[in-house]
Amino acid sequence: MDDLDKLLKDAAGITAVPDPLMARILADATREQPRPMRAPAQMPRSSIWSVISDLFGGHGVLAGLASVACAGIYLGAVQPSGVNEMTALMTGVLAVEALDYMPNIDALLAEE
Amino acid sequence: MAKDAQIDGSDEALLALYADGDAQAARLLAARLVPRILGFATRLLGDRVEAEDIAQEVMLRLWRVAPNWRSDEARVSTWVYRVTSNLCLDRLRSVKRKRAHPLDEVAEPEDGAASALSTMIEADRQAALQMALADLPDRQREAVILRHIEGLANPQIAEVMQIGVEAVESLTARGKRALTAALSGQRRELGYEEV
């Protein structure tokens, strides 16, 4: 039946899409559309100082350690007499009775 | 410029643009695909309202699958026809179709230049075709529509229906024979004897 081929061909016309249907489909598309990916925020580069600081627990702790180290170097270099006596007392070289707690008090009293 | 070229390009390129956030790509893709889905679903179901639901559902699934679409796996049009077919066949299986509706729901011809008489004759012919299609077994109807109305090649129909090409040829041949038999008794009523 040649007419059948013609009938089928005629049926192949473009189907009109109702506007409300297209609007619903485009609304779905907008709702489902993936959002553009943003570039991840760049991590700040960590310097050697920040690594060391983090290793010791932060800048505050590191500053404290530096201060103590400087004080140790100073005391080791100057060696004040009071510190020497304290060291001798602690190591048992000097007896407690021999320790002069106020080494300059005699001169002060004499002036009066 | 590269983007413009893609917009004029394939369905797959448009889908990739949509997945990249291009809203215009969605409009172009919908304009291309929805008329085909709607026409196919209307002829499979014989119900325009249900066909519109199917068309929306198919496109929704397409939007959702877009970010993971692999262009080397399937053509968008093939995928769309396959999903439409599956959804329609599911509905046909779950609901016993009433044969009275298709006659009322066949779209009117859009040629405004045609005379009222020829328009009526053409509408009658299309209604008769729709009724004859509705009487075919589901798979035969699907194969005939895809081959002779949607104009797909047999290998693509085989992909859509997930069967072999020979099976497609068999289904379309049997379908056409059945349509011929169904319509041959109505030749006079459909105005073919006078042509």
Side-chain angles (χ1 to χ4, degrees), chain B residues 101-122:
Chain B
H101 290 300
L103 269 177
D104 301 330
E105 289 163 359
V106 171
E108 292 291 328
E110 294 174 6
D111 184 3
S115 69
L117 182 59
S118 64
T119 301
M120 286 172 64
I121 290 173
E122 185 57 30

Side-chain angles (χ1 to χ4, degrees), chain B residues 7-78:
Chain B
I7 285 178
D8 293 334
S10 65
D11 295 342
E12 291 74 24
L14 285 175
L15 193 61
L17 282 174
Y18 167 76
D20 285 341
D22 189 326
Q24 176 71 3
R27 281 192 287 276
L28 289 169
L29 202 53
R32 278 187 195 178
L33 296 177
V34 176
R36 292 152 73 181
I37 298 170
L38 189 57
F40 181 43
T42 302
R43 297 203 175 278
L44 273 180
L45 295 171
D47 186 318
R48 182 60 178 255
V49 175
E50 284 196 34
E52 289 187 11
D53 288 345
I54 294 285
Q56 187 176 0
E57 176 64 23
V58 171
M59 292 305 291
L60 180 61
R61 292 186 183 198
L62 182 65
W63 305 138
R64 286 179 176 165
V65 83
N68 302 316
W69 185 267
R70 290 178 55 186
S71 56
D72 56 332
E73 276 188 355
R75 290 165 62 183
V76 170
S77 60
T78 303

Side-chain angles (χ1 to χ4, degrees), chain B residues 127-161:
Chain B
L129 173 63
Q130 182 60 42
M131 287 192 70
L133 282 169
D135 284 336
L136 292 180
D138 292 343
R139 299 291 273 175
Q140 279 185 30
R141 179 166 64 254
E142 184 181 355
V144 168
I145 292 170
L146 288 172
R147 180 73 187 92
H148 296 289
I149 297 179
E150 297 299 319
L152 271 60
N154 284 348
Q156 192 178 3
I157 298 171
E159 281 186 58
V160 171
M161 298 182 71

Side-chain angles (χ1 to χ4, degrees), chain A residues 81-91 94 99:
Chain A
S81 60
V83 173
N84 288 337
E85 286 178 1
M86 180 69 75
T87 307
L89 183 65
M90 291 173 71
T91 55
L94 185 65
L99 181 62

Side-chain angles (χ1 to χ4, degrees), chain A residues 11-72:
Chain A
I14 294 174
T15 305
V17 179
D19 289 341
L21 172 63
M22 190 57 91
R24 291 200 303 273
I25 288 170
L26 292 178
D28 287 344
T30 302
R31 194 179 59 249
E32 298 292 334
Q33 188 163 36
R35 298 290 171 262
M37 292 284 288
R38 287 185 178 180
Q42 273 202 329
M43 296 291 288
R45 288 184 63 189
S46 52
S47 66
I48 184 69
W49 291 114
S50 63
V51 171
I52 293 172
S53 167
D54 292 341
L55 192 65
F56 285 96
H59 288 290
V61 174
L62 193 63
L65 280 172
S67 302
V68 169
C70 289

